[in-house]
């Protein structure tokens, strides 16, 4: 049996091609999943850009967000049975989810929210894991005292759409989000932001509300562009977490003077290094599914395309690259 996949074309890496591959066989911790929907994230476009720059020896299947049905279970995989509905963000070192079937480590897989459809579920995993790990593993805002402030830079994107309600549900902090357009600001408010400011001059915007500093900053876009402002407004002994790699050296002068901390959040760390707590990602996804089913968190799906094809994947990448997406774009098969 063969499976269909849409992959980066090694001969013309700026393009995608349709390929056929043998059905993969699960390893001991793996699930074989029939994929029903995938979402496209900035990481997809970054890896695609890297392929265009560095070249490829063979087609590469991208995609790191999916929902689907378990077809087979590895000998050491626990917690899942054939026929279970699942969702996951995957492992960047393995073939991605832009295919009809995929192998995924059971330990980083969650049970799909019961009350969400395939597309709504596929919009969640990568952003939920990134938001949860950044807020609670890195910044540890769940331990913050009442009255502390959290600034989410990029509140209307995929990660911000979940970081806002996660912070409201599991901490006492005041949540401030940045947005540049009225519709984006409303999107943040609808998800629970206490205050929404324009990112173009964050210090001046905060000052309008009587704030000089914020205790925590979760940076979800353009670390280089926002660094000077973040260094200015982070509180003494405050903490910054970013999910975006810097392309230029970052001055640490202000952070040193303030004894402030800088964290990086990379959602693939646990799977890439098979950390002792790798199964924590499956636990986070199950906890998120419960919040979604209870209506405490809503899906960040904002655009659905239909059918796995070169055309739909190309369109999804273009939508992400435009940089104006509120929430997530999903391809439903």
């Amino acid at each position: 049996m063969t499976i269909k996949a849409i992959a980066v074309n090694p001969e013309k890496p700026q393009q995608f091609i349709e390929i056929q591959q043998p059905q993969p066989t699960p390893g001991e911790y793996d699930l074989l999943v029939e994929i029903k929907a995938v979402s496209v994230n900035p990481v997809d476009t970054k890896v695609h850009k890297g392929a265009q720059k560095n070249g490829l020896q063979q087609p590469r299947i991208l995609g790191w967000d999916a929902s689907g049905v378990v077809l087979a279970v590895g000998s050491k995989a626990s917690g899942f049975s054939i026929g279970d509905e699942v969702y996951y963000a995957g492992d960047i070192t393995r073939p991605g989810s832009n295919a009809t079937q995929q192998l995924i480590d059971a330990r980083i897989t969650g049970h799909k929210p019961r009350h969400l459809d395939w597309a709504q579920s596929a919009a969640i995993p990568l952003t939920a894991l990134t938001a949860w790990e950044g807020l609670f593993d890195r910044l540890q805002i769940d331990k913050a005292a009442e009255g502390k402030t959290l600034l989410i830079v990029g509140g209307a994107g995929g990660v911000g759409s979940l970081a806002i309600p996660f912070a409201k549900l599991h901490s006492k902090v005041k949540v401030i989000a940045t947005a540049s357009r009225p519709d984006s600001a409303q999107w943040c408010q609808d998800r629970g932001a206490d205050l929404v400011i324009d990112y173009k001059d964050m210090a001046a915007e905060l000052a309008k509300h009587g704030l000089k500093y914020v205790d925590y900053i979760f940076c979800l876009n353009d670390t280089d562009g926002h660094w000077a402002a973040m260094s200015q407004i982070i509180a003494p002994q405050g903490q910054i977490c970013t999910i975006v790699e810097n392309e230029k050296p970052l001055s640490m002068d202000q952070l040193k003077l303030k004894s402030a901390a800088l964290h990086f959040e990379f959602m693939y760390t646990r799977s890439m290094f098979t950390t002792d707590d790798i199964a924590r990602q499956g636990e986070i996804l199950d906890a998120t599914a419960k919040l979604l089913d209870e209506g405490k968190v809503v899906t960040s799906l904002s655009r659905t395309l239909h059918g796995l094809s070169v055309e739909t994947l190309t369109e999804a990448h273009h939508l992400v690259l435009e940089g104006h997406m509120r929430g997530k774009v999903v391809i439903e098969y």
Side-chain angles (χ1 to χ4, degrees):
M1 180 179 178
T2 61
I3 66 169
K4 182 178 87 170
I6 307 301
V8 181
N9 184 351
E11 297 180 3
K12 295 181 179 179
Q14 71 276 18
Q15 298 177 352
F16 296 108
I17 55 171
E18 181 178 320
I19 61 173
Q20 298 288 325
Q21 291 191 327
Q23 182 184 52
T25 301
E28 55 185 12
Y29 287 103
D30 285 338
L31 305 174
L32 176 63
V33 175
E34 178 187 1
I35 297 174
K36 299 293 188 179
V38 297
S39 71
V40 176
N41 295 279
V43 66
D44 295 70
T45 63
K46 289 176 183 176
V47 176
H48 189 202
K49 183 179 179 181
Q52 294 174 59
K53 179 180 179 181
N54 301 316
L56 288 172
Q57 297 301 312
Q58 59 187 8
R60 180 168 185 185
I61 304 169
L62 308 182
W64 293 284
D65 250 347
S67 60
V69 179
V70 176
L71 297 177
V73 180
S75 60
K76 290 187 178 179
S78 61
F80 297 93
S81 302
I82 292 172
D84 283 357
E85 298 183 349
V86 297
Y87 75 147
Y88 53 85
D91 178 345
I92 201 166
T93 67
R94 304 181 72 176
S97 52
N98 295 333
T100 52
Q101 295 181 20
Q102 181 189 18
L103 295 179
I104 182 70
D105 191 312
R107 295 169 293 184
I108 59 173
T109 303
H111 294 86
K112 171 187 164 292
R114 297 187 307 276
H115 300 317
L116 269 61
D117 62 26
W118 298 116
Q120 292 168 331
S121 298
I124 297 294
L126 186 146
T127 51
L129 289 166
T130 301
W132 193 291
E133 291 180 354
L135 292 174
F136 307 124
D137 292 351
R138 314 298 170 230
L139 295 175
Q140 298 187 6
I141 66 163
D142 49 320
K143 299 177 182 177
E146 193 166 356
K148 296 292 186 178
T149 49
L150 165 70
L151 174 65
I152 298 175
V153 180
V159 177
S161 298
L162 291 172
I164 292 170
F166 284 172
K168 294 297 294 182
L169 287 165
H170 296 297
S171 80
K172 300 175 182 177
V173 300
K174 178 177 182 178
V175 177
I176 306 166
T178 72
S180 59
R181 304 188 311 274
D183 59 335
S184 298
Q186 188 62 54
W187 179 275
C188 294
Q189 290 168 352
D190 290 345
R191 279 148 185 78
D194 297 300
L195 177 65
V196 181
I197 65 172
D198 195 315
Y199 70 87
K200 297 184 183 71
D201 191 344
M202 293 187 285
E205 287 282 295
L206 290 170
K208 292 178 184 177
H209 299 276
L211 295 170
K212 182 177 181 180
Y213 299 124
V214 290
D215 300 291
Y216 303 93
I217 298 176
F218 195 16
C219 180
L220 307 179
N221 61 47
D222 194 6
T223 299
D224 290 300
H226 295 305
W227 185 251
M230 292 192 296
S231 298
Q232 178 185 353
I233 62 178
I234 190 64
Q237 303 185 106
Q239 298 187 62
I240 300 171
C241 177
T242 182
I243 68 170
V244 183
E245 63 275 17
N246 54 298
E247 296 182 1
K248 302 174 183 177
L250 302 176
S251 171
M252 295 293 159
D253 294 349
Q254 286 297 308
L255 269 65
K256 180 179 184 298
L257 291 174
K258 294 177 177 178
S259 297
L262 172 63
H263 307 269
F264 287 96
E265 161 55 23
F266 186 53
M267 192 225 71
Y268 301 107
T269 297
R270 282 176 159 129
S271 57
M272 182 179 287
F273 295 97
T274 318
T275 60
D276 291 342
D277 64 350
I278 185 173
R280 180 64 183 142
Q281 290 203 331
E283 294 168 1
I284 293 169
L285 290 174
D286 282 343
T288 301
K290 186 173 186 291
L291 293 174
L292 288 158
D293 283 332
E294 291 173 349
K296 294 178 179 178
V297 175
V298 297
T299 181
S300 47
L301 173 65
S302 60
R303 180 79 179 270
T304 303
L305 307 178
H306 296 279
L308 177 65
S309 67
V310 169
E311 291 74 22
T312 54
L313 189 59
T314 301
E315 182 180 354
H317 273 243
H318 285 160
L319 289 169
V320 173
L321 285 168
E322 285 174 358
H324 302 305
M325 283 291 301
R326 287 182 292 111
K328 298 290 294 294
V329 57
V330 169
I331 301 171
E332 190 169 35
Y333 292 6

